[in-house]
Amino acid sequence: MPRIAYVNGRYVAHADASVHIEDRGYQFADGVYEVCEVARGFIVDMPRHLGRLNRSLSELSIDWPVTQAVLPLILREVVRRNHVVNGLVYVQVTRGVASRDFVFPAPGTRPSLVVTARKADPAAAIKRAETGIKVITVPENRWDRVDIKSTGLLPNVLAKQKAKEADAQEAWFVDGDGMVTEGGSSNAWIVTGDGVLVTRPAEHGILRGITRTTLFDVAAKLGVKIEERKFSVTEAKAAREAFISSATTIAMPIVAIDGAPVANGHPGSVTLSLRQAFFDVAEKSPA
Ligand code: PMP
């Protein structure tokens, strides 16, 4: 069954899908993106993801490539044509194709839109959550607008590669004060000895994760308290639990930070209960 991608108005074979060499996404990373989880045939939290896409576009003064009403239909169609029941759908919008020049292209230049989808194995995710993941820490070296979900991800690429080379699955960025900002592709959380969730406020220095937002709803439902405040690497290493959140990992337990075990080195029960309750609480759009 060949994979299908949506590229600027056309559904094409994934293997042949391409954009112009002077697309500003390719030349300047002048674009934004979203990743939605697909679970049990539903696109998870799609309105929240498309709301954040709208914000990213407007912060960068990139026009919508299609109307806001049409994009959900394209996402659904790409998921459907690829027969994805569990997996993800990826949306990328760039400022379009223009002769290479730093300043914005002429008004009316059409933004580029690419949508792809791919399958994932839910059993592998369950297994990973049972084992937990390891993280390393790296110095924060990104610009101060990481609240925009830009395709400019070079620091994230390097951090996650470093994690992989250290046999870890995620890298946590740490600011100049020793405080954790977020992961290379996830938000960072700990659980205190009192069972309180702690995660960094989203005003500055992190991406406001959609999974993070929905986990606030999950925590409220489970009666788990959340404190939005910064936490240090030292506090995380001594925490009862630690975990990451993202659309593709949901709440994923951390069992080691920089080689030191978190608590007894096993996934924590609060993290697993949040993970368990997530799908019921999240908004589900039929694909
Ligand atoms: N922070 C960064 C840097 C990310 O790349 C991601 C994943 N897109 C997240 C946080 C988590 O965001 P979400 O829950 O919306 O996937």
Side-chain angles (χ1 to χ4, degrees):
M1 186 68 65
R3 283 180 73 195
I4 301 293
Y6 173 96
V7 184
N8 292 326
R10 296 195 307 141
Y11 294 91
V12 294
H14 192 275
D16 304 328
S18 60
V19 292
H20 195 276
I21 56 166
E22 287 198 301
D23 191 285
R24 291 180 62 95
Y26 181 56
Q27 293 193 321
F28 296 116
D30 189 0
V32 299
Y33 73 106
E34 282 295 326
V35 179
C36 300
E37 189 201 14
V38 180
R40 303 176 214 179
F42 295 93
I43 303 177
V44 177
D45 281 330
M46 180 165 63
R48 280 180 171 169
H49 280 282
L50 298 186
R52 185 174 63 185
L53 180 69
N54 185 44
R55 179 179 180 278
S56 296
L57 290 170
S58 95
E59 289 295 313
L60 297 178
S61 306
I62 299 176
D63 292 334
W64 267 79
V66 291
T67 66
Q68 294 199 41
V70 162
L71 191 53
L73 306 178
I74 297 171
L75 263 63
R76 272 190 203 119
E77 188 62 16
V78 172
V79 169
R80 203 185 59 78
R81 288 192 188 216
N82 288 283
H83 307 283
V84 175
V85 178
N86 294 291
L88 62 85
V89 56
Y90 177 86
V91 187
Q92 180 173 307
V93 182
T94 75
R95 205 182 300 277
V97 174
S99 178
R100 188 178 183 279
D101 189 1
F102 285 85
V103 295
F104 291 0
T109 302
R110 200 174 53 138
S112 301
L113 172 61
V114 168
V115 180
T116 57
R118 86 172 177 226
K119 295 176 184 173
D121 176 12
I126 291 169
K127 211 169 154 201
R128 171 141 286 186
E130 281 168 1
T131 317
I133 62 160
K134 298 178 214 161
V135 303
I136 61 161
T137 59
V138 295
E140 179 63 87
N141 61 353
R142 300 173 300 159
W143 73 329
D144 64 3
R145 291 309 311 274
V146 294
D147 57 300
I148 301 170
K149 200 163 170 55
S150 148
T151 56
L153 292 168
L154 205 38
N156 312 57
V157 166
L158 298 179
K160 289 183 75 90
Q161 177 63 23
K162 200 170 171 195
K164 186 180 176 188
E165 287 165 10
D167 189 33
Q169 290 73 39
E170 181 58 298
W172 272 2
F173 290 111
V174 179
D175 70 16
D177 300 323
M179 302 303 220
V180 176
T181 55
E182 64 179 336
S185 61
S186 58
N187 289 119
W189 303 70
I190 58 171
V191 182
T192 66
D194 302 335
V196 175
L197 297 177
V198 181
T199 195
R200 190 178 172 110
E203 295 95 57
H204 187 74
I206 67 163
L207 180 75
R208 187 186 290 273
I210 300 305
T211 316
R212 176 186 180 281
T213 300
T214 298
L215 282 172
F216 276 60
D217 301 339
V218 177
K221 191 181 163 199
L222 298 181
V224 178
K225 207 176 142 224
I226 299 187
E227 266 175 36
E228 261 186 295
R229 64 166 172 84
K230 295 178 184 179
F231 62 85
S232 67
V233 178
T234 312
E235 185 180 4
K237 282 181 176 166
R240 182 155 115 190
E241 299 181 24
F243 66 94
I244 60 165
S245 69
S246 75
T248 50
T249 61
I250 316 300
M252 181 61 72
I254 294 170
V255 293
I257 301 170
D258 286 335
V262 175
N264 63 2
H266 292 286
S269 59
V270 176
T271 306
L272 294 178
S273 60
L274 292 166
R275 182 182 179 82
Q276 183 72 29
F278 186 87
F279 183 76
D280 280 346
V281 175
E283 186 171 352
K284 296 164 281 286
S285 308

